Amino acid sequence: MKINKISIGTRGSKLALWQAEWIKSELKELYPDLEIELIKIKTTGDKILDVPLAKVGGKGLFVKEIEEALLRHEADIAVHSIKDVPTEFPDGLYLAVICKREDPRDAFISSKKSNPPLPPLSKGGRRGINRSIIYYLPIGAKIGTSSLRRSCQLLNNRPDLKLEQLRGNLDTRLRKLDEGQFDAIILAAAGIKRLGLEERISEILSPEISLPAIGQGAIGIECRIDDEFINKLIAPLNHPETSICVKAERAFLERLEGGCQVPIAAYARIVNKKSEVRSQKSNPPFHPLSKGGREGINDSALSTPNSKLIMDGLVGSITGDRIIKGYIEGRPGHAESLGIALAEDVLSRGAKDILDEVYDRSAPTIDREISN
């Protein structure tokens, strides 16, 4: 029997719907006669807005209910932000497709009322990290973020800053900033760009200052393993380079058994060993991150002997006083092995102590307790 209709499970936020609509449009371009329905599903993470996610605990706060819809055959595919997807899946489900990545970096957005003077080239270009806008903020400036990963790295650079919890969808977060509740907020650049709000960005933070979350900027499609029709249908949307890089990052996270209670970050990219080709737009030239950009080389180069995967990773304490960083490079075909090896490296150099401390105690009860 010919199937001419499928359903997409998605969260109901504006950004989630943008992502689901984008997948829908990509599929419609491939299959014009296919009817596609969007099913909005409210997840646990959407329902709990007054408690930091680190306090809620658990994994899959933004995907569990959507996965349940997949298992009940109420949805055929689920569209997720990769950074929300746990490394373990319910029996019968898997991450079938990873789409081309948007900018993986974090965006710093200053309040219109308290916007500090911008340093030279703060909106992009070649510059040293000490010229970042974060070094021009007044002492004790109030920064809103929903991420322990971001707060850890920011406090490591500016321990005087006051980090406070920021939950809600993107519009809500921007509204709170405009109301004067914060001097600045930090969000994922990809989401801001996808919703056409790039003009609000004061600075795209260099990965040297704020290493991205695992899979940040990438969209994933989850489906039932045994659904042959759906698997074939969505396969053309997979982006080989992004898939390889995200698999390396997720292997790093899985080995660390990471959750939202501890700051963990990783950023992988593929470069040409011979020419060190990189995307200047997406990856400022800082060592070791100067070795590759978001887009790196084209897909056809993935199988050449000159291509290599490079990755930076870190584990930090919640207060930002300790950060263990690591770097690794190798063949793209060994992506997951490289991610595991990088995790073993940081564990051996102090990350294990940080993880043990965090997981052995309940989530902190200070303003800086925010989710990964």
Side-chain angles (χ1 to χ4, degrees):
M1 181 179 68
K2 183 179 179 181
I3 300 175
N4 58 8
K5 179 179 179 179
I6 69 166
S7 56
I8 299 176
T10 175
R11 295 169 60 201
S13 71
K14 188 180 292 187
L15 178 58
L17 290 173
W18 184 98
Q19 295 177 164
E21 288 285 358
W22 181 75
I23 293 297
K24 177 180 176 179
S25 67
E26 293 292 299
L27 288 172
K28 289 290 285 184
E29 187 172 335
L30 291 168
Y31 316 104
D33 296 331
L34 184 67
E35 185 179 343
I36 304 174
E37 176 189 12
L38 263 58
I39 300 175
K40 291 186 283 187
I41 299 170
K42 202 162 191 177
T43 67
T44 301
D46 297 316
K47 297 172 185 175
I48 304 175
L49 296 175
D50 56 347
V51 179
L53 295 180
K55 259 192 172 181
V56 178
K59 299 178 182 179
L61 296 175
F62 292 105
V63 303
K64 181 182 177 183
E65 287 79 3
I66 303 176
E67 290 178 328
E68 290 172 349
L70 284 175
L71 292 171
R72 292 192 301 265
H73 289 250
E74 295 171 1
D76 296 301
I77 64 174
V79 175
H80 304 299
S81 293
I82 290 290
K83 65 185 182 67
D84 292 335
V85 181
T87 55
E88 297 179 357
F89 294 88
D91 289 342
L93 302 180
Y94 82 127
L95 194 60
V97 166
I98 299 176
C99 304
K100 188 173 182 179
R101 199 174 209 169
E102 237 294 357
D103 192 330
R105 297 171 295 171
D106 288 325
F108 187 93
I109 305 176
S110 298
S111 166
K112 296 175 182 177
K113 298 178 181 179
S114 61
N115 205 4
L118 300 180
L121 296 174
S122 67
K123 287 185 178 287
R126 302 174 68 88
R127 67 188 189 280
I129 63 173
N130 287 335
R131 291 189 180 182
S132 169
I133 194 172
I134 71 166
Y135 297 102
Y136 289 71
L137 293 169
I139 293 175
K142 186 186 297 185
I143 310 298
T145 176
S146 60
S147 165
L148 283 176
R149 171 189 60 81
R150 292 175 183 139
S151 64
C152 164
Q153 295 180 81
L154 196 58
L155 288 169
N156 187 258
N157 284 287
R158 285 286 307 270
D160 62 286
L161 296 177
K162 184 175 177 58
L163 276 293
E164 295 194 354
Q165 172 68 203
L166 176 64
R167 291 287 313 279
N169 60 38
L170 196 147
D171 286 341
T172 298
R173 298 182 191 199
L174 290 173
R175 175 180 55 78
K176 290 180 178 181
L177 174 67
D178 294 338
E179 289 174 351
Q181 296 185 35
F182 305 97
D183 294 306
I185 61 176
I186 304 177
L187 304 170
I192 299 170
K193 291 183 176 183
R194 284 172 176 147
L195 293 182
L197 299 171
E198 193 169 358
E199 75 280 354
R200 293 299 307 266
I201 298 174
S202 302
E203 178 179 335
I204 298 290
L205 295 177
S206 159
E208 287 283 343
I209 292 175
S210 188
L211 197 65
I214 280 76
Q216 184 161 304
I219 295 171
I221 304 178
E222 185 179 6
C223 71
R224 294 179 291 274
I225 296 172
D226 62 0
D227 195 326
E228 184 178 353
F229 172 80
I230 290 295
N231 276 276
K232 288 182 178 178
L233 189 84
I234 63 179
L237 300 187
N238 190 63
H239 187 249
E241 181 176 345
T242 300
S243 182
I244 288 171
C245 292
V246 169
K247 284 179 180 177
E249 295 169 11
R250 286 171 61 81
F252 175 79
L253 178 66
E254 184 173 23
R255 175 61 188 89
L256 295 174
E257 300 179 0
C260 64
Q261 297 92 345
V262 64
I264 297 175
Y267 176 33
R269 50 259 186 237
I270 295 174
V271 299
N272 190 299
K273 290 189 289 186
K274 190 172 183 180
S275 61
E276 293 293 301
V277 173
R278 63 175 177 267
S279 166
Q280 295 287 359
K281 179 180 178 182
S282 65
N283 192 33
F286 304 134
H287 181 77
L289 293 160
S290 62
K291 295 182 178 180
R294 170 171 60 91
E295 305 229 348
I297 54 181
N298 59 42
D299 295 344
S300 63
L302 291 177
S303 59
T304 69
N306 286 329
S307 62
K308 68 177 177 180
L309 182 143
I310 61 176
M311 183 166 70
D312 294 84
L314 68 78
V315 174
S317 63
I318 293 173
T319 57
D321 60 329
R322 289 175 295 161
I323 290 183
I324 310 298
K325 297 182 179 181
Y327 170 81
I328 199 168
E329 60 181 59
R331 294 173 59 186
H334 297 162
E336 291 176 304
S337 296
L338 290 169
I340 294 170
L342 182 58
E344 296 285 0
D345 172 54
V346 296
L347 284 170
S348 69
R349 293 188 290 107
K352 185 179 185 302
D353 294 336
I354 294 175
L355 292 169
D356 287 345
E357 288 176 13
V358 172
Y359 291 136
D360 283 346
R361 67 177 183 227
S362 59
T365 56
I366 57 175
D367 285 339
R368 291 170 182 170
E369 52 163 29
I370 28 200
S371 80
N372 192 27

